[in-house]
Amino acid sequence: GQQVMQIPQYQHVQEGEDFTTYCNSSTTLSNIQWYKQRPGGHPVFLIQLVKSGEVKKQKRLTFQFGEAKKNSSLHITATQTTDVGTYFCAGGGKLIFGQGTELSVKP
Amino acid sequence: EAQVTQNPRYLITVTGKKLTVTCSQNMNHEYMSWYRQDPGLGLRQIYYSMNVEVTDKGDVPEGYKVSRKEKRNFPLILESPSPNQTSLYFCASRTGTGGIYEQYFGPGTRLTVT
């Protein structure tokens, strides 16, 4: 069946460093969504990408959807301690979730 | 306030004792889902419902039941819980139309089966 793989599983950065998480699907996706889950919290929707090659920005966050609509990335510029949490991608009509990337930020 | 509520938030139970986790949303959403979250495995869908009286299996449905008698409620039933169902459970809802299928998640239910 459809699988969505996300790497890395963990990322530890110094505050101010950049961070990127990658999402890859075994099949073409109709759309990709990104969620953030703070420690002890629930996933919260960040964004949805639909078009091939689409790039969207939210302040320091940049989201990309690949040309083939099989991969996506989330890039955070100059991380802050408020960015701590687990970032999930989720794709397709059934919204298959990746395993998540847990980001920790050292002040 | 738009929200998804779940109860209970925490539950410790014993093997074989039937339990129900309730889920309710106040956004008139058609689509509701249940997920379980386990370390290293992300969120896996247990069951979903596209509308009242319409439910279907997700990726890990074994050992679970659901019902959708009303649009706002989507309870998760464990008829005979086992230790491998110890997990963090999330209910979620979204609209079925409009193009942006943002899912709203409940606060989670942490279940321990001994």
Side-chain angles (χ1 to χ4, degrees):
Chain A
Q2 186 176 50
Q3 287 190 320
V4 175
M5 307 298 291
Q6 197 173 345
I7 56 169
Q9 190 172 356
Y10 303 98
Q11 185 79 58
H12 310 287
V13 300
Q14 194 78 36
E15 188 172 24
E17 291 181 338
D18 292 357
F19 159 78
T20 305
T21 174
Y22 300 91
C23 188
N24 292 288
S25 170
S26 56
T27 59
T28 302
L29 299 169
S30 56
N31 67 81
I32 191 96
Q33 296 184 355
W34 286 91
Y35 290 78
K36 177 182 179 181
Q37 183 179 20
R38 294 184 188 275
H42 58 275
V44 174
F45 177 84
L46 294 176
I47 207 161
Q48 175 173 296
L49 305 172
V50 178
K51 298 177 185 175
S52 168
E54 189 170 11
V55 179
K56 287 189 177 180
K57 293 191 176 185
Q58 290 179 350
K59 297 182 181 178
R60 294 178 294 104
L61 277 60
T62 302
F63 304 85
Q64 290 189 311
F65 199 10
E67 293 289 342
K69 300 183 75 173
K70 295 178 74 173
N71 57 73
S72 181
S73 65
L74 157 60
H75 180 83
I76 302 178
T77 303
T79 55
Q80 300 175 357
T81 54
T82 53
D83 295 325
V84 164
T86 300
Y87 293 84
F88 291 99
C89 63
K94 288 189 72 176
L95 213 58
I96 308 296
F97 277 79
Q99 299 92 329
T101 295
E102 185 178 335
L103 172 65
S104 63
V105 180
K106 189 182 298 184
Chain B
E1 180 192 353
Q3 61 180 355
V4 179
T5 57
Q6 291 179 231
N7 282 292
R9 295 288 313 278
Y10 303 90
L11 180 59
I12 300 174
T13 190
V14 295
T15 299
K17 186 177 181 183
K18 180 179 179 179
L19 66 92
T20 299
V21 184
T22 64
C23 173
S24 183
Q25 50 95 3
N26 64 0
M27 295 166 279
N28 201 36
H29 285 164
E30 295 86 4
Y31 193 98
M32 297 185 75
S33 296
W34 275 102
Y35 294 87
R36 62 177 289 173
Q37 184 174 21
D38 302 288
L41 297 177
L43 290 150
R44 294 181 292 168
Q45 192 179 57
I46 302 169
Y47 269 93
Y48 65 96
S49 168
M50 298 185 74
N51 216 321
V52 176
E53 301 292 2
V54 181
T55 63
D56 207 350
K57 297 177 181 178
D59 297 316
V60 288
E62 294 78 20
Y64 304 95
K65 285 175 58 176
V66 293
S67 68
R68 187 92 182 272
K69 292 182 170 54
E70 306 163 285
K71 199 170 187 179
R72 63 183 294 126
N73 296 323
F74 190 44
L76 178 69
I77 303 154
L78 285 71
E79 295 269 4
S80 183
S82 62
N84 65 13
Q85 292 178 299
T86 292
S87 187
L88 178 58
Y89 291 86
F90 288 103
C91 180
S93 75
R94 64 168 173 84
T95 182
T97 59
I100 300 289
Y101 301 121
E102 172 182 353
Q103 283 213 117
Y104 294 81
F105 283 82
T109 295
R110 188 166 291 282
L111 173 65
T112 302
V113 184
T114 61

PDB file of all heavy atoms in Angstrom, chain B residues 3 14 43 48 60 69 72 77 100:
ATOM      1  N   GLN B   3     -13.674  23.027  18.069  1.00  0.00           N
ATOM      2  CA  GLN B   3     -12.809  22.076  18.757  1.00  0.00           C
ATOM      3  C   GLN B   3     -13.280  20.646  18.606  1.00  0.00           C
ATOM      4  O   GLN B   3     -14.437  20.368  18.283  1.00  0.00           O
ATOM      5  CB  GLN B   3     -12.701  22.412  20.237  1.00  0.00           C
ATOM      6  CG  GLN B   3     -13.994  22.380  21.004  1.00  0.00           C
ATOM      7  CD  GLN B   3     -13.774  22.734  22.473  1.00  0.00           C
ATOM      8  OE1 GLN B   3     -12.666  22.920  22.960  1.00  0.00           O
ATOM      9  NE2 GLN B   3     -14.874  22.835  23.198  1.00  0.00           N
ATOM     10  N   VAL B  14      -7.528  -3.009  32.430  1.00  0.00           N
ATOM     11  CA  VAL B  14      -6.951  -4.356  32.410  1.00  0.00           C
ATOM     12  C   VAL B  14      -7.371  -5.083  31.140  1.00  0.00           C
ATOM     13  O   VAL B  14      -8.388  -4.753  30.507  1.00  0.00           O
ATOM     14  CB  VAL B  14      -7.394  -5.161  33.649  1.00  0.00           C
ATOM     15  CG1 VAL B  14      -6.850  -4.532  34.915  1.00  0.00           C
ATOM     16  CG2 VAL B  14      -8.910  -5.271  33.719  1.00  0.00           C
ATOM     17  N   LEU B  43       1.623   8.570  13.109  1.00  0.00           N
ATOM     18  CA  LEU B  43       0.186   8.452  13.343  1.00  0.00           C
ATOM     19  C   LEU B  43      -0.371   7.435  12.362  1.00  0.00           C
ATOM     20  O   LEU B  43      -0.236   7.590  11.144  1.00  0.00           O
ATOM     21  CB  LEU B  43      -0.495   9.804  13.119  1.00  0.00           C
ATOM     22  CG  LEU B  43      -0.184  10.856  14.163  1.00  0.00           C
ATOM     23  CD1 LEU B  43      -0.247  12.247  13.569  1.00  0.00           C
ATOM     24  CD2 LEU B  43      -1.168  10.739  15.307  1.00  0.00           C
ATOM     25  N   TYR B  48     -12.020   5.416   9.869  1.00  0.00           N
ATOM     26  CA  TYR B  48     -12.490   6.725   9.489  1.00  0.00           C
ATOM     27  C   TYR B  48     -13.954   6.655   9.089  1.00  0.00           C
ATOM     28  O   TYR B  48     -14.498   5.576   8.828  1.00  0.00           O
ATOM     29  CB  TYR B  48     -11.642   7.343   8.368  1.00  0.00           C
ATOM     30  CG  TYR B  48     -11.697   6.621   7.037  1.00  0.00           C
ATOM     31  CD1 TYR B  48     -12.572   7.032   6.034  1.00  0.00           C
ATOM     32  CD2 TYR B  48     -10.840   5.551   6.777  1.00  0.00           C
ATOM     33  CE1 TYR B  48     -12.609   6.384   4.816  1.00  0.00           C
ATOM     34  CE2 TYR B  48     -10.878   4.902   5.562  1.00  0.00           C
ATOM     35  CZ  TYR B  48     -11.749   5.318   4.590  1.00  0.00           C
ATOM     36  OH  TYR B  48     -11.783   4.670   3.372  1.00  0.00           O
ATOM     37  N   VAL B  60      -4.829   0.151  10.660  1.00  0.00           N
ATOM     38  CA  VAL B  60      -4.660  -0.750  11.805  1.00  0.00           C
ATOM     39  C   VAL B  60      -5.982  -0.939  12.546  1.00  0.00           C
ATOM     40  O   VAL B  60      -6.109  -0.587  13.715  1.00  0.00           O
ATOM     41  CB  VAL B  60      -3.554  -0.244  12.765  1.00  0.00           C
ATOM     42  CG1 VAL B  60      -2.183  -0.434  12.150  1.00  0.00           C
ATOM     43  CG2 VAL B  60      -3.793   1.218  13.149  1.00  0.00           C
ATOM     44  N   LYS B  69     -23.357   7.394  14.533  1.00  0.00           N
ATOM     45  CA  LYS B  69     -24.816   7.533  14.536  1.00  0.00           C
ATOM     46  C   LYS B  69     -25.227   9.005  14.405  1.00  0.00           C
ATOM     47  O   LYS B  69     -26.337   9.309  13.949  1.00  0.00           O
ATOM     48  CB  LYS B  69     -25.406   6.926  15.793  1.00  0.00           C
ATOM     49  CG  LYS B  69     -25.266   5.406  15.866  1.00  0.00           C
ATOM     50  CD  LYS B  69     -25.921   4.848  17.105  1.00  0.00           C
ATOM     51  CE  LYS B  69     -26.002   3.330  17.084  1.00  0.00           C
ATOM     52  NZ  LYS B  69     -24.698   2.696  16.867  1.00  0.00           N
ATOM     53  N   ARG B  72     -21.727  14.631  14.854  1.00  0.00           N
ATOM     54  CA  ARG B  72     -20.740  15.218  15.740  1.00  0.00           C
ATOM     55  C   ARG B  72     -19.945  14.181  16.539  1.00  0.00           C
ATOM     56  O   ARG B  72     -18.883  14.491  17.042  1.00  0.00           O
ATOM     57  CB  ARG B  72     -21.412  16.206  16.688  1.00  0.00           C
ATOM     58  CG  ARG B  72     -22.432  15.606  17.632  1.00  0.00           C
ATOM     59  CD  ARG B  72     -23.088  16.675  18.484  1.00  0.00           C
ATOM     60  NE  ARG B  72     -22.117  17.281  19.376  1.00  0.00           N
ATOM     61  CZ  ARG B  72     -21.889  18.600  19.447  1.00  0.00           C
ATOM     62  NH1 ARG B  72     -22.554  19.430  18.651  1.00  0.00           N
ATOM     63  NH2 ARG B  72     -21.016  19.084  20.292  1.00  0.00           N
ATOM     64  N   ILE B  77     -14.354   2.041  20.192  1.00  0.00           N
ATOM     65  CA  ILE B  77     -14.686   0.969  21.131  1.00  0.00           C
ATOM     66  C   ILE B  77     -13.617  -0.107  21.067  1.00  0.00           C
ATOM     67  O   ILE B  77     -13.267  -0.582  19.978  1.00  0.00           O
ATOM     68  CB  ILE B  77     -16.058   0.360  20.790  1.00  0.00           C
ATOM     69  CG1 ILE B  77     -17.134   1.455  20.808  1.00  0.00           C
ATOM     70  CG2 ILE B  77     -16.412  -0.763  21.778  1.00  0.00           C
ATOM     71  CD1 ILE B  77     -18.322   1.163  19.933  1.00  0.00           C
ATOM     72  N   ILE B 100      -9.272  22.528   0.937  1.00  0.00           N
ATOM     73  CA  ILE B 100      -8.266  22.509   2.010  1.00  0.00           C
ATOM     74  C   ILE B 100      -8.791  21.585   3.078  1.00  0.00           C
ATOM     75  O   ILE B 100      -9.744  21.921   3.774  1.00  0.00           O
ATOM     76  CB  ILE B 100      -8.016  23.908   2.595  1.00  0.00           C
ATOM     77  CG1 ILE B 100      -7.507  24.839   1.506  1.00  0.00           C
ATOM     78  CG2 ILE B 100      -7.036  23.823   3.756  1.00  0.00           C
ATOM     79  CD1 ILE B 100      -6.095  24.550   1.045  1.00  0.00           C
TER      80      ILE B 100
END
